[in-house]
Amino acid sequence: MKKKIVCGTLVAVLAASMLFGCSGSSAASSGAEGQTAEAAQTESDDKLKVSLLVTGSFGDKAFNDSAQAGMEKLQADMGDKVEVQMIEMGNDKTKFEGSLLDASDSDADVIIVGTWDMKEILENVAQEYPDKKYIIFDTDVDYTLGDLSNVYSMSYKQNEAAFLAGVLAASVTSSDMEYANEDAVIGFVGAKDTAAVINDSAVGFIEGAQFINPDIKVLVSYVGSYVDSAMAKELALTQYSSGADCVFVAAGPASVGVIEAAAESQKYVIGVDSDQALAYEGQPEANYIISSAIKGVGDSLYNSIERDLAGELPYGEYEILGLADGAVGLADNEIYQTVVPEDIRNTVNDAKDKILAGEVTVDSAYGMDEATLDGIISSAQ
């Protein structure tokens, strides 16, 4: 009887020991997992949270894709310091404000938006969230409207890149390149004639072409939209059939229509915003895209966040970035190097050097009155 009691007691003690042992082990494990989760959360909290909101969508082979590439590079290079989120807002403008408000209510530290579509919306929303920081690209905000000291604005001297595109096109049309004809006629297809950013490209392009040949003819057409690629294609086909052998397009996502027209017409096209030949790499269209007037949107966003991390980004101010900042220029890729003759490439480089040296000043459509703009366009007709 005693033996049974002792054995029973021993079993109970061992069971209790095992129970408490397991319980202790479980608590320790739980504590370790909790500490790991807490450490991960702390690490995430320490990162600068950046949200990019784009009008339209990615895959436009132009503006938005450049912005996306900049954010991806940021995440790859500075993932230990930055956490990136990218949001497509679509084309319904009535939803843009709601998307920006949602982002402002999130844990994002810096919110990036772009283009004039977001200008007025940001001017209102930014004042409601003084603890958030905002970056707007390709336009500025009106800092006199209130306290917008939390907004950094930047745009680009697309007129300088367009000037180089004009130099290139005017040189190509008088060359013996395969798809050039004898007529000194080139073309420009823009998105909207009411958009200063588009007219800035038109002015630069015409002045660059006239820098090479004062008597050159520049056909100018406007799509009336940033997304109507069918209309852009129709306008470009008309220009090609009217004698243009090189067309410069500045029409955002609608630019794909002009590129299609170039391929069908077997004529040259100069793309816009990003290196569009790379976007069409491996496709027949790429052979006709001799270069692109680049806006380094992605690079400028990358640099802005880098400056923010260093405490050097001037919130409350507006900056215009150009050739001297490495923010605009012509795409220099394999097609450009192989299709465009060396003497033409040297001519383009000489023009670039003259702009950088201050020997050539490119007019801008920003602040230009309508009569002056019309005069520049008419001078090339």
Side-chain angles (χ1 to χ4, degrees), residues 60-67 138 156-159 161-162 165 188-191 197-202 205 226 232 247-259 269-280 289-297 327-331 333:
D60 64 349
K61 301 184 187 299
F63 212 75
N64 289 343
D65 284 358
S66 178
D138 208 36
Y156 311 92
K157 296 180 181 178
Q158 55 270 318
N159 58 326
F188 172 81
V189 175
V197 65
I198 300 300
N199 288 326
D200 207 36
S201 289
F205 182 67
Y226 284 91
V247 172
F248 172 44
V249 58
S255 298
V256 298
V258 178
I259 293 171
V269 62
I270 300 173
V272 73
D273 294 336
S274 63
D275 190 341
Q276 294 192 303
L278 295 182
Y280 283 90
I289 308 171
I290 53 175
S291 188
S292 298
I294 291 178
K295 279 185 190 177
V297 174
V328 301
L330 280 190
N333 54 38

Tab-separated table of all heavy atoms in Angstrom, residues 60-67 138 156-159 161-162 165 188-191 197-202 205 226 232 247-259 269-280 289-297 327-331 333:
chain	number	residue	atom	x	y	z
A	60	ASP	N	2.513	52.212	-68.700
A	60	ASP	CA	2.252	53.202	-69.753
A	60	ASP	C	3.440	53.397	-70.691
A	60	ASP	O	3.373	54.154	-71.637
A	60	ASP	CB	1.857	54.549	-69.148
A	60	ASP	CG	2.973	55.185	-68.325
A	60	ASP	OD1	3.979	54.504	-68.034
A	60	ASP	OD2	2.833	56.371	-67.962
A	61	LYS	N	4.544	52.708	-70.407
A	61	LYS	CA	5.785	52.800	-71.190
A	61	LYS	C	6.305	54.232	-71.233
A	61	LYS	O	7.006	54.622	-72.174
A	61	LYS	CB	5.581	52.273	-72.622
A	61	LYS	CG	5.110	50.826	-72.707
A	61	LYS	CD	5.036	50.355	-74.135
A	61	LYS	CE	4.393	48.969	-74.249
A	61	LYS	NZ	5.129	47.930	-73.541
A	62	ALA	N	5.968	55.015	-70.218
A	62	ALA	CA	6.393	56.414	-70.206
A	62	ALA	C	6.525	56.916	-68.771
A	62	ALA	O	7.331	56.413	-67.987
A	62	ALA	CB	5.397	57.268	-71.004
A	63	PHE	N	5.689	57.884	-68.431
A	63	PHE	CA	5.798	58.640	-67.184
A	63	PHE	C	5.696	57.774	-65.936
A	63	PHE	O	6.572	57.786	-65.072
A	63	PHE	CB	4.672	59.686	-67.198
A	63	PHE	CG	5.013	60.959	-66.499
A	63	PHE	CD1	5.866	61.863	-67.087
A	63	PHE	CD2	4.462	61.261	-65.269
A	63	PHE	CE1	6.169	63.066	-66.455
A	63	PHE	CE2	4.761	62.454	-64.634
A	63	PHE	CZ	5.615	63.359	-65.231
A	64	ASN	N	4.608	57.025	-65.824
A	64	ASN	CA	4.380	56.220	-64.623
A	64	ASN	C	5.403	55.105	-64.467
A	64	ASN	O	5.811	54.770	-63.350
A	64	ASN	CB	2.962	55.641	-64.630
A	64	ASN	CG	1.904	56.702	-64.401
A	64	ASN	OD1	2.195	57.794	-63.945
A	64	ASN	ND2	0.668	56.389	-64.750
A	65	ASP	N	5.806	54.539	-65.592
A	65	ASP	CA	6.810	53.477	-65.523
A	65	ASP	C	8.144	54.006	-65.016
A	65	ASP	O	8.880	53.312	-64.311
A	65	ASP	CB	6.994	52.827	-66.890
A	65	ASP	CG	5.848	51.881	-67.234
A	65	ASP	OD1	4.946	51.710	-66.393
A	65	ASP	OD2	5.853	51.310	-68.340
A	66	SER	N	8.457	55.256	-65.388
A	66	SER	CA	9.685	55.880	-64.896
A	66	SER	C	9.602	56.073	-63.386
A	66	SER	O	10.553	55.773	-62.653
A	66	SER	CB	9.911	57.230	-65.584
A	66	SER	OG	11.065	57.870	-65.081
A	67	ALA	N	8.450	56.550	-62.912
A	67	ALA	CA	8.253	56.738	-61.469
A	67	ALA	C	8.353	55.401	-60.735
A	67	ALA	O	8.980	55.293	-59.668
A	67	ALA	CB	6.902	57.390	-61.206
A	138	ASP	N	6.419	67.284	-61.611
A	138	ASP	CA	5.953	67.755	-62.915
A	138	ASP	C	4.969	68.917	-62.812
A	138	ASP	O	4.277	69.240	-63.767
A	138	ASP	CB	5.325	66.619	-63.730
A	138	ASP	CG	5.461	66.873	-65.233
A	138	ASP	OD1	6.490	67.430	-65.654
A	138	ASP	OD2	4.531	66.543	-65.988
A	156	TYR	N	10.284	69.843	-64.489
A	156	TYR	CA	11.431	69.548	-65.332
A	156	TYR	C	11.508	70.509	-66.511
A	156	TYR	O	10.481	70.965	-67.022
A	156	TYR	CB	11.339	68.108	-65.848
A	156	TYR	CG	11.049	67.111	-64.755
A	156	TYR	CD1	9.732	66.749	-64.445
A	156	TYR	CD2	12.070	66.565	-63.991
A	156	TYR	CE1	9.458	65.855	-63.428
A	156	TYR	CE2	11.804	65.673	-62.967
A	156	TYR	CZ	10.492	65.318	-62.690
A	156	TYR	OH	10.211	64.444	-61.673
A	157	LYS	N	12.713	70.780	-66.943
A	157	LYS	CA	12.914	71.617	-68.125
A	157	LYS	C	12.818	70.733	-69.361
A	157	LYS	O	13.793	70.479	-70.056
A	157	LYS	CB	14.267	72.328	-68.048
A	157	LYS	CG	14.376	73.313	-66.885
A	157	LYS	CD	15.739	73.987	-66.846
A	157	LYS	CE	15.847	74.944	-65.666
A	157	LYS	NZ	17.180	75.588	-65.578
A	158	GLN	N	11.571	70.265	-69.616
A	158	GLN	CA	11.377	69.415	-70.778
A	158	GLN	C	11.669	70.164	-72.070
A	158	GLN	O	11.948	69.557	-73.108
A	158	GLN	CB	9.968	68.821	-70.818
A	158	GLN	CG	8.845	69.817	-70.761
A	158	GLN	CD	8.415	70.118	-69.354
A	158	GLN	OE1	8.320	69.231	-68.537
A	158	GLN	NE2	8.165	71.378	-69.062
A	159	ASN	N	11.638	71.503	-72.009
A	159	ASN	CA	11.969	72.272	-73.205
A	159	ASN	C	13.423	72.052	-73.624
A	159	ASN	O	13.739	72.080	-74.813
A	159	ASN	CB	11.698	73.761	-72.976
A	159	ASN	CG	12.462	74.346	-71.802
A	159	ASN	OD1	12.687	73.674	-70.795
A	159	ASN	ND2	12.863	75.600	-71.912
A	161	ALA	N	15.207	69.177	-73.142
A	161	ALA	CA	15.259	67.854	-73.774
A	161	ALA	C	14.603	67.903	-75.146
A	161	ALA	O	15.092	67.287	-76.110
A	161	ALA	CB	14.569	66.820	-72.891
A	162	ALA	N	13.504	68.649	-75.254
A	162	ALA	CA	12.796	68.770	-76.532
A	162	ALA	C	13.649	69.510	-77.561
A	162	ALA	O	13.585	69.213	-78.764
A	162	ALA	CB	11.471	69.495	-76.329
A	165	ALA	N	15.768	67.038	-79.018
A	165	ALA	CA	14.955	66.208	-79.910
A	165	ALA	C	14.757	66.920	-81.251
A	165	ALA	O	14.777	66.281	-82.316
A	165	ALA	CB	13.605	65.899	-79.274
A	188	PHE	N	5.364	67.122	-84.720
A	188	PHE	CA	5.200	67.107	-83.259
A	188	PHE	C	3.756	66.746	-82.950
A	188	PHE	O	2.817	67.376	-83.467
A	188	PHE	CB	5.520	68.475	-82.655
A	188	PHE	CG	5.191	68.584	-81.187
A	188	PHE	CD1	6.061	68.091	-80.214
A	188	PHE	CD2	3.987	69.156	-80.757
A	188	PHE	CE1	5.757	68.176	-78.861
A	188	PHE	CE2	3.666	69.241	-79.405
A	188	PHE	CZ	4.558	68.757	-78.466
A	189	VAL	N	3.555	65.731	-82.120
A	189	VAL	CA	2.217	65.357	-81.657
A	189	VAL	C	2.193	65.504	-80.141
A	189	VAL	O	2.909	64.795	-79.424
A	189	VAL	CB	1.853	63.913	-82.055
A	189	VAL	CG1	0.501	63.522	-81.449
A	189	VAL	CG2	1.813	63.769	-83.575
A	190	GLY	N	1.379	66.440	-79.662
A	190	GLY	CA	1.283	66.691	-78.227
A	190	GLY	C	-0.055	66.244	-77.672
A	190	GLY	O	-0.993	65.965	-78.431
A	191	ALA	N	-0.150	66.168	-76.363
A	191	ALA	CA	-1.399	65.739	-75.723
A	191	ALA	C	-2.458	66.835	-75.803
A	191	ALA	O	-3.409	66.740	-76.573
A	191	ALA	CB	-1.137	65.350	-74.272
A	197	VAL	N	2.972	72.206	-69.912
A	197	VAL	CA	4.030	71.206	-69.946
A	197	VAL	C	4.192	70.621	-71.350
A	197	VAL	O	5.307	70.307	-71.787
A	197	VAL	CB	3.761	70.094	-68.905
A	197	VAL	CG1	2.518	69.305	-69.240
A	197	VAL	CG2	4.953	69.170	-68.774
A	198	ILE	N	3.100	70.486	-72.090
A	198	ILE	CA	3.152	69.977	-73.462
A	198	ILE	C	3.657	71.055	-74.413
A	198	ILE	O	4.509	70.801	-75.274
A	198	ILE	CB	1.771	69.470	-73.912
A	198	ILE	CG1	1.293	68.329	-72.994
A	198	ILE	CG2	1.811	69.020	-75.372
A	198	ILE	CD1	2.199	67.114	-72.972
A	199	ASN	N	3.147	72.267	-74.258
A	199	ASN	CA	3.597	73.363	-75.103
A	199	ASN	C	5.068	73.688	-74.869
A	199	ASN	O	5.755	74.167	-75.769
A	199	ASN	CB	2.727	74.599	-74.866
A	199	ASN	CG	1.332	74.440	-75.447
A	199	ASN	OD1	1.160	73.800	-76.484
A	199	ASN	ND2	0.331	75.012	-74.794
A	200	ASP	N	5.548	73.417	-73.655
A	200	ASP	CA	6.966	73.608	-73.360
A	200	ASP	C	7.813	72.704	-74.250
A	200	ASP	O	8.873	73.103	-74.756
A	200	ASP	CB	7.225	73.300	-71.888
A	200	ASP	CG	8.420	74.051	-71.329
A	200	ASP	OD1	8.641	75.208	-71.725
A	200	ASP	OD2	9.128	73.484	-70.484
A	201	SER	N	7.334	71.488	-74.462
A	201	SER	CA	8.025	70.560	-75.353
A	201	SER	C	7.921	71.016	-76.796
A	201	SER	O	8.886	70.893	-77.569
A	201	SER	CB	7.434	69.148	-75.208
A	201	SER	OG	7.777	68.580	-73.964
A	202	ALA	N	6.759	71.543	-77.180
A	202	ALA	CA	6.577	72.023	-78.554
A	202	ALA	C	7.539	73.170	-78.849
A	202	ALA	O	8.187	73.195	-79.905
A	202	ALA	CB	5.136	72.466	-78.762
A	205	PHE	N	11.142	71.870	-79.061
A	205	PHE	CA	11.343	71.068	-80.267
A	205	PHE	C	11.494	71.954	-81.502
A	205	PHE	O	12.411	71.755	-82.312
A	205	PHE	CB	10.161	70.109	-80.443
A	205	PHE	CG	10.285	69.185	-81.625
A	205	PHE	CD1	11.260	68.197	-81.656
A	205	PHE	CD2	9.413	69.285	-82.699
A	205	PHE	CE1	11.379	67.330	-82.738
A	205	PHE	CE2	9.514	68.424	-83.785
A	205	PHE	CZ	10.501	67.441	-83.803
A	226	TYR	N	-4.546	62.664	-72.935
A	226	TYR	CA	-3.313	61.949	-72.615
A	226	TYR	C	-3.463	60.442	-72.821
A	226	TYR	O	-2.475	59.710	-72.721
A	226	TYR	CB	-2.911	62.204	-71.158
A	226	TYR	CG	-2.297	63.562	-70.916
A	226	TYR	CD1	-3.086	64.645	-70.568
A	226	TYR	CD2	-0.918	63.761	-71.021
A	226	TYR	CE1	-2.528	65.900	-70.338
A	226	TYR	CE2	-0.343	65.000	-70.796
A	226	TYR	CZ	-1.162	66.070	-70.451
A	226	TYR	OH	-0.601	67.306	-70.235
A	232	ALA	N	-4.009	59.727	-81.375
A	232	ALA	CA	-2.585	60.040	-81.533
A	232	ALA	C	-2.029	59.329	-82.760
A	232	ALA	O	-1.251	59.911	-83.538
A	232	ALA	CB	-1.816	59.623	-80.280
A	247	VAL	N	8.866	62.136	-86.218
A	247	VAL	CA	7.853	62.800	-85.377
A	247	VAL	C	8.248	62.672	-83.918
A	247	VAL	O	8.624	61.583	-83.457
A	247	VAL	CB	6.456	62.185	-85.607
A	247	VAL	CG1	5.452	62.731	-84.597
A	247	VAL	CG2	5.985	62.470	-87.033
A	248	PHE	N	8.164	63.768	-83.205
A	248	PHE	CA	8.399	63.778	-81.754
A	248	PHE	C	7.046	63.789	-81.068
A	248	PHE	O	6.181	64.606	-81.379
A	248	PHE	CB	9.217	65.011	-81.373
A	248	PHE	CG	9.356	65.245	-79.891
A	248	PHE	CD1	9.638	64.201	-79.013
A	248	PHE	CD2	9.215	66.526	-79.357
A	248	PHE	CE1	9.774	64.425	-77.649
A	248	PHE	CE2	9.359	66.763	-77.994
A	248	PHE	CZ	9.630	65.708	-77.135
A	249	VAL	N	6.854	62.871	-80.137
A	249	VAL	CA	5.577	62.771	-79.446
A	249	VAL	C	5.731	63.135	-77.976
A	249	VAL	O	6.674	62.713	-77.318
A	249	VAL	CB	4.973	61.355	-79.590
A	249	VAL	CG1	5.918	60.283	-79.054
A	249	VAL	CG2	3.621	61.259	-78.886
A	250	ALA	N	4.800	63.940	-77.478
A	250	ALA	CA	4.748	64.285	-76.053
A	250	ALA	C	3.287	64.194	-75.631
A	250	ALA	O	2.596	65.201	-75.505
A	250	ALA	CB	5.302	65.688	-75.806
A	251	ALA	N	2.829	62.965	-75.443
A	251	ALA	CA	1.404	62.757	-75.185
A	251	ALA	C	1.137	61.716	-74.113
A	251	ALA	O	0.068	61.107	-74.082
A	251	ALA	CB	0.693	62.358	-76.479
A	252	GLY	N	2.088	61.492	-73.220
A	252	GLY	CA	1.865	60.551	-72.133
A	252	GLY	C	1.534	59.164	-72.658
A	252	GLY	O	2.093	58.712	-73.662
A	253	PRO	N	0.591	58.460	-72.023
A	253	PRO	CA	0.229	57.108	-72.454
A	253	PRO	C	-0.261	57.028	-73.899
A	253	PRO	O	-0.130	55.988	-74.554
A	253	PRO	CB	-0.891	56.718	-71.478
A	253	PRO	CG	-0.606	57.524	-70.259
A	253	PRO	CD	-0.084	58.841	-70.765
A	254	ALA	N	-0.819	58.145	-74.416
A	254	ALA	CA	-1.301	58.153	-75.802
A	254	ALA	C	-0.154	58.050	-76.801
A	254	ALA	O	-0.380	57.788	-77.986
A	254	ALA	CB	-2.112	59.423	-76.065
A	255	SER	N	1.075	58.227	-76.326
A	255	SER	CA	2.245	58.186	-77.214
A	255	SER	C	2.383	56.855	-77.941
A	255	SER	O	2.982	56.792	-79.025
A	255	SER	CB	3.517	58.460	-76.405
A	255	SER	OG	3.486	59.745	-75.819
A	256	VAL	N	1.838	55.795	-77.362
A	256	VAL	CA	1.972	54.484	-78.003
A	256	VAL	C	1.339	54.480	-79.389
A	256	VAL	O	1.789	53.759	-80.284
A	256	VAL	CB	1.362	53.365	-77.127
A	256	VAL	CG1	2.087	53.259	-75.795
A	256	VAL	CG2	-0.135	53.581	-76.904
A	257	GLY	N	0.320	55.304	-79.596
A	257	GLY	CA	-0.324	55.396	-80.905
A	257	GLY	C	0.609	55.944	-81.958
A	257	GLY	O	0.603	55.490	-83.121
A	258	VAL	N	1.429	56.924	-81.585
A	258	VAL	CA	2.381	57.519	-82.518
A	258	VAL	C	3.477	56.507	-82.860
A	258	VAL	O	3.930	56.421	-84.013
A	258	VAL	CB	2.985	58.807	-81.931
A	258	VAL	CG1	4.011	59.411	-82.879
A	258	VAL	CG2	1.879	59.825	-81.643
A	259	ILE	N	3.897	55.741	-81.878
A	259	ILE	CA	4.918	54.722	-82.110
A	259	ILE	C	4.383	53.648	-83.062
A	259	ILE	O	5.094	53.186	-83.966
A	259	ILE	CB	5.381	54.120	-80.772
A	259	ILE	CG1	6.130	55.187	-79.965
A	259	ILE	CG2	6.253	52.894	-80.994
A	259	ILE	CD1	6.455	54.802	-78.543
A	269	VAL	N	10.510	57.955	-85.084
A	269	VAL	CA	9.783	58.611	-83.997
A	269	VAL	C	10.735	58.832	-82.824
A	269	VAL	O	11.646	58.017	-82.594
A	269	VAL	CB	8.547	57.777	-83.560
A	269	VAL	CG1	8.969	56.414	-83.016
A	269	VAL	CG2	7.722	58.526	-82.516
A	270	ILE	N	10.540	59.939	-82.132
A	270	ILE	CA	11.286	60.226	-80.907
A	270	ILE	C	10.288	60.161	-79.762
A	270	ILE	O	9.290	60.891	-79.755
A	270	ILE	CB	11.961	61.618	-80.967
A	270	ILE	CG1	12.941	61.674	-82.145
A	270	ILE	CG2	12.685	61.918	-79.658
A	270	ILE	CD1	13.529	63.058	-82.394
A	271	GLY	N	10.531	59.268	-78.826
A	271	GLY	CA	9.601	59.050	-77.715
A	271	GLY	C	9.728	60.108	-76.643
A	271	GLY	O	10.424	61.115	-76.804
A	272	VAL	N	9.054	59.855	-75.523
A	272	VAL	CA	9.007	60.870	-74.479
A	272	VAL	C	8.980	60.240	-73.087
A	272	VAL	O	8.569	59.085	-72.926
A	272	VAL	CB	7.767	61.780	-74.666
A	272	VAL	CG1	6.482	61.017	-74.286
A	272	VAL	CG2	7.877	63.087	-73.890
A	273	ASP	N	9.452	61.002	-72.123
A	273	ASP	CA	9.394	60.700	-70.685
A	273	ASP	C	10.378	59.618	-70.239
A	273	ASP	O	11.194	59.837	-69.362
A	273	ASP	CB	7.978	60.331	-70.227
A	273	ASP	CG	7.017	61.496	-70.335
A	273	ASP	OD1	7.492	62.659	-70.316
A	273	ASP	OD2	5.809	61.276	-70.458
A	274	SER	N	10.272	58.416	-70.805
A	274	SER	CA	11.226	57.356	-70.479
A	274	SER	C	11.826	56.836	-71.775
A	274	SER	O	11.405	57.228	-72.866
A	274	SER	CB	10.549	56.221	-69.706
A	274	SER	OG	9.553	55.611	-70.499
A	275	ASP	N	12.813	55.978	-71.689
A	275	ASP	CA	13.459	55.422	-72.878
A	275	ASP	C	12.499	54.420	-73.510
A	275	ASP	O	12.495	53.237	-73.174
A	275	ASP	CB	14.778	54.756	-72.498
A	275	ASP	CG	15.611	54.374	-73.716
A	275	ASP	OD1	15.027	54.300	-74.816
A	275	ASP	OD2	16.818	54.153	-73.559
A	276	GLN	N	11.694	54.889	-74.458
A	276	GLN	CA	10.623	54.053	-74.986
A	276	GLN	C	11.133	52.941	-75.896
A	276	GLN	O	10.447	51.944	-76.106
A	276	GLN	CB	9.578	54.924	-75.678
A	276	GLN	CG	8.867	55.838	-74.670
A	276	GLN	CD	7.629	56.516	-75.228
A	276	GLN	OE1	7.699	57.209	-76.219
A	276	GLN	NE2	6.500	56.320	-74.571
A	277	ALA	N	12.340	53.085	-76.431
A	277	ALA	CA	12.908	51.994	-77.222
A	277	ALA	C	13.132	50.773	-76.339
A	277	ALA	O	12.918	49.630	-76.766
A	277	ALA	CB	14.218	52.429	-77.868
A	278	LEU	N	13.542	50.994	-75.103
A	278	LEU	CA	13.741	49.887	-74.174
A	278	LEU	C	12.413	49.244	-73.802
A	278	LEU	O	12.327	48.035	-73.593
A	278	LEU	CB	14.465	50.371	-72.912
A	278	LEU	CG	15.900	50.877	-73.105
A	278	LEU	CD1	16.505	51.265	-71.758
A	278	LEU	CD2	16.763	49.827	-73.794
A	279	ALA	N	11.371	50.066	-73.728
A	279	ALA	CA	10.044	49.542	-73.400
A	279	ALA	C	9.533	48.624	-74.507
A	279	ALA	O	8.720	47.733	-74.255
A	279	ALA	CB	9.063	50.681	-73.163
A	280	TYR	N	10.016	48.840	-75.738
A	280	TYR	CA	9.597	48.020	-76.875
A	280	TYR	C	10.696	47.052	-77.307
A	280	TYR	O	10.663	46.533	-78.418
A	280	TYR	CB	9.221	48.915	-78.065
A	280	TYR	CG	7.877	49.576	-77.937
A	280	TYR	CD1	7.753	50.824	-77.327
A	280	TYR	CD2	6.718	48.961	-78.408
A	280	TYR	CE1	6.520	51.449	-77.207
A	280	TYR	CE2	5.483	49.578	-78.297
A	280	TYR	CZ	5.390	50.818	-77.693
A	280	TYR	OH	4.169	51.425	-77.582
A	289	ILE	N	12.198	53.858	-83.093
A	289	ILE	CA	12.320	54.828	-81.983
A	289	ILE	C	13.800	55.175	-81.844
A	289	ILE	O	14.548	54.513	-81.134
A	289	ILE	CB	11.774	54.237	-80.669
A	289	ILE	CG1	10.364	53.680	-80.872
A	289	ILE	CG2	11.763	55.321	-79.574
A	289	ILE	CD1	9.838	52.883	-79.691
A	290	ILE	N	14.230	56.234	-82.521
A	290	ILE	CA	15.664	56.534	-82.568
A	290	ILE	C	16.186	57.154	-81.279
A	290	ILE	O	17.380	57.128	-81.008
A	290	ILE	CB	16.013	57.430	-83.769
A	290	ILE	CG1	15.133	58.694	-83.796
A	290	ILE	CG2	15.869	56.639	-85.064
A	290	ILE	CD1	15.522	59.673	-84.884
A	291	SER	N	15.302	57.697	-80.470
A	291	SER	CA	15.667	58.188	-79.138
A	291	SER	C	14.382	58.603	-78.420
A	291	SER	O	13.286	58.456	-78.965
A	291	SER	CB	16.639	59.378	-79.231
A	291	SER	OG	17.128	59.717	-77.943
A	292	SER	N	14.523	59.109	-77.225
A	292	SER	CA	13.391	59.631	-76.455
A	292	SER	C	13.857	60.840	-75.654
A	292	SER	O	14.995	60.865	-75.173
A	292	SER	CB	12.837	58.573	-75.484
A	292	SER	OG	12.338	57.448	-76.166
A	293	ALA	N	12.985	61.831	-75.569
A	293	ALA	CA	13.264	62.989	-74.714
A	293	ALA	C	12.877	62.590	-73.296
A	293	ALA	O	11.703	62.493	-72.962
A	293	ALA	CB	12.462	64.204	-75.170
A	294	ILE	N	13.890	62.331	-72.503
A	294	ILE	CA	13.654	61.747	-71.184
A	294	ILE	C	13.440	62.798	-70.106
A	294	ILE	O	14.135	63.806	-70.033
A	294	ILE	CB	14.850	60.854	-70.785
A	294	ILE	CG1	14.891	59.613	-71.678
A	294	ILE	CG2	14.776	60.446	-69.331
A	294	ILE	CD1	16.051	58.705	-71.401
A	295	LYS	N	12.433	62.527	-69.288
A	295	LYS	CA	12.295	63.202	-67.998
A	295	LYS	C	12.688	62.156	-66.971
A	295	LYS	O	12.057	61.106	-66.883
A	295	LYS	CB	10.847	63.620	-67.735
A	295	LYS	CG	10.399	64.889	-68.391
A	295	LYS	CD	8.993	65.188	-67.909
A	295	LYS	CE	8.382	66.317	-68.700
A	295	LYS	NZ	6.987	66.554	-68.285
A	296	GLY	N	13.703	62.433	-66.205
A	296	GLY	CA	14.148	61.461	-65.223
A	296	GLY	C	13.270	61.460	-63.990
A	296	GLY	O	13.747	61.733	-62.882
A	297	VAL	N	11.988	61.156	-64.187
A	297	VAL	CA	11.047	61.167	-63.064
A	297	VAL	C	11.513	60.209	-61.966
A	297	VAL	O	11.603	60.580	-60.789
A	297	VAL	CB	9.627	60.788	-63.541
A	297	VAL	CG1	8.686	60.668	-62.336
A	297	VAL	CG2	9.096	61.820	-64.515
A	327	ALA	N	18.462	65.785	-65.022
A	327	ALA	CA	17.067	65.364	-64.889
A	327	ALA	C	16.368	65.183	-66.233
A	327	ALA	O	15.322	64.538	-66.300
A	327	ALA	CB	16.294	66.384	-64.053
A	328	VAL	N	16.900	65.772	-67.288
A	328	VAL	CA	16.322	65.610	-68.626
A	328	VAL	C	17.449	65.326	-69.619
A	328	VAL	O	18.627	65.534	-69.324
A	328	VAL	CB	15.533	66.868	-69.077
A	328	VAL	CG1	14.411	67.182	-68.100
A	328	VAL	CG2	16.462	68.081	-69.224
A	329	GLY	N	17.069	64.880	-70.807
A	329	GLY	CA	18.069	64.611	-71.835
A	329	GLY	C	17.517	63.685	-72.891
A	329	GLY	O	16.315	63.384	-72.902
A	330	LEU	N	18.368	63.247	-73.796
A	330	LEU	CA	17.965	62.290	-74.825
A	330	LEU	C	18.467	60.900	-74.468
A	330	LEU	O	19.591	60.750	-73.961
A	330	LEU	CB	18.533	62.683	-76.194
A	330	LEU	CG	17.827	63.773	-76.995
A	330	LEU	CD1	18.401	63.831	-78.406
A	330	LEU	CD2	16.324	63.574	-77.062
A	331	ALA	N	17.653	59.904	-74.758
A	331	ALA	CA	18.051	58.517	-74.500
A	331	ALA	C	19.210	58.136	-75.412
A	331	ALA	O	19.160	58.347	-76.627
A	331	ALA	CB	16.866	57.588	-74.742
A	333	ASN	N	20.921	54.915	-76.280
A	333	ASN	CA	20.918	53.459	-76.167
A	333	ASN	C	21.535	52.819	-77.404
A	333	ASN	O	22.081	53.507	-78.272
A	333	ASN	CB	19.492	52.952	-75.931
A	333	ASN	CG	18.533	53.479	-77.003
A	333	ASN	OD1	18.885	53.578	-78.172
A	333	ASN	ND2	17.324	53.825	-76.586
